[in-house]
Amino acid sequence: MSVTDKESHSYPWGHERRFNAYSNYFRSIYGARVQKVSIDAGFTCPNRDGTSGYGGCTYCNNNAFNPSYCIPEKSVSQQIREGIEFHKRRYTEAVSYLAYFQAFSNTYAPIDILIKIYQEALSYPGVKGLIIGTRPDCIDEEKLDYIKGLSERYYIAVEYGIESCYNKTLSRINRGHTFEDAVSAVERTAGLGINTGAHFIFGLPGETRKEMLDEAGIISKLPLKTVKFHQLQIIKGTAMEKEFLNNPSDFELFEWEEYLDFFIRFLERLNPSIVVERFTGEAPPRFLTSERWGKKRTDQIVNLIEKRLEELDTWQGRLYEG
Ligand code: SF4
């Protein structure tokens, strides 16, 4: 997987883009654009109710990334209907949808409740599958067995918030689980043939740039299908905001130009078989205490990263030591 065919500009993932892109991955499965539709099904989080911890992760404010149509008082079907309408106004192309259980921990409920919620989403016309966001400590064999059964009929992915490969960081941000817990959840999920994703944050306090770069090698060894990355943003009303305002020198937030250079170097070291869904995150400005990177939209950021890959004639996995 580490060799590119420079003559035809075809990379191990089978297209000409210089990274293993999520949108192309879905086109290769469905032959067309697939749109994710977010749902807030009213789940909670064990890191808030005392099961794993209290207070939640120090950076967390779910409102900062929940689309406006996602309100748990609305049924799953209604949220899907409104989500499809919302996306139709922006893109006309998508005809297939994935129900994205995004807010809080979407396996944190008894199995009979999960079955009811997931089945309601899967029975909505045009929904081809589920993306289930959750924590590494919110999954067990019974739930995995059920999800495995679903994955034989639909596109199903379980996405774990891992955030960092270092336990000192996970402890500092009050994640309430260790990196070993995350590895175990990823391995058990992928071991059943379920698409497994993970989410990581760059710029968390106490981590050096070198440690962040070294995560490429650690993540590359996990049996992940997809990954999402984003830069740390300080969100209003969080415990981290207080920490940041009290002691800003404790934080080394990425400026855009530094992040661009860092991310290219990271991508060069990342296993080319892992599909990359996001490079950055964007909380709405009204939630942000840290500074924005100008007014760049996600698609512009992707273009800038691809342009830089081209200028440097490099690509995902060029320095991967698999
Ligand atoms: S980031 Fe996820 S796991 Fe952490 S407190 Fe928020 S919902 Fe819970």
Side-chain angles (χ1 to χ4, degrees), residues 23 126 195 198 223 245 264 270 288 305:
S23 53
N195 296 306
L245 294 175
I264 300 286
L270 187 67
L288 276 180
I305 289 178

Side-chain angles (χ1 to χ4, degrees), residues 43-48 55-62 65 102-105 134-138 161 163 173-177 201:
F43 290 103
T44 57
C45 171
N47 200 21
R48 290 178 173 277
C57 309
T58 59
Y59 57 84
C60 171
N61 175 353
N62 270 265
F65 57 81
Q102 180 179 18
F104 296 101
S105 302
T134 193
R135 287 170 54 87
D137 56 0
C138 277
E163 318 311 350
I173 62 176
N174 196 37
R175 276 292 299 178
H177 66 77
I201 303 175

Side-chain angles (χ1 to χ4, degrees), residues 43 105-120 130 132 138-150 158 192 194:
F43 290 103
S105 302
N106 294 279
T107 54
Y108 186 47
I111 186 76
D112 52 321
I113 294 180
L114 297 184
I115 292 172
K116 186 172 167 291
I117 290 172
Y118 296 165
Q119 288 295 345
E120 183 175 348
L130 308 178
I132 303 165
C138 277
I139 201 79
D140 57 37
E141 305 319 311
E142 185 186 35
K143 291 170 186 171
L144 283 175
D145 273 351
Y146 172 66
I147 293 170
K148 174 182 158 54
L150 288 181
V158 177
L192 291 173
I194 301 165

Side-chain angles (χ1 to χ4, degrees), residues 24-43:
N24 296 69
Y25 162 64
F26 274 108
R27 272 184 199 280
S28 73
I29 298 174
Y30 291 109
R33 189 165 176 280
V34 177
Q35 178 66 53
K36 290 206 291 191
V37 177
S38 295
I39 298 164
D40 183 342
F43 290 103

Side-chain angles (χ1 to χ4, degrees), residues 32-36 84 87-88 91-97:
R33 189 165 176 280
V34 177
Q35 178 66 53
K36 290 206 291 191
I84 289 175
H87 288 292
K88 267 192 184 152
Y91 314 99
T92 48
E93 201 194 343
V95 285
S96 299
Y97 298 92

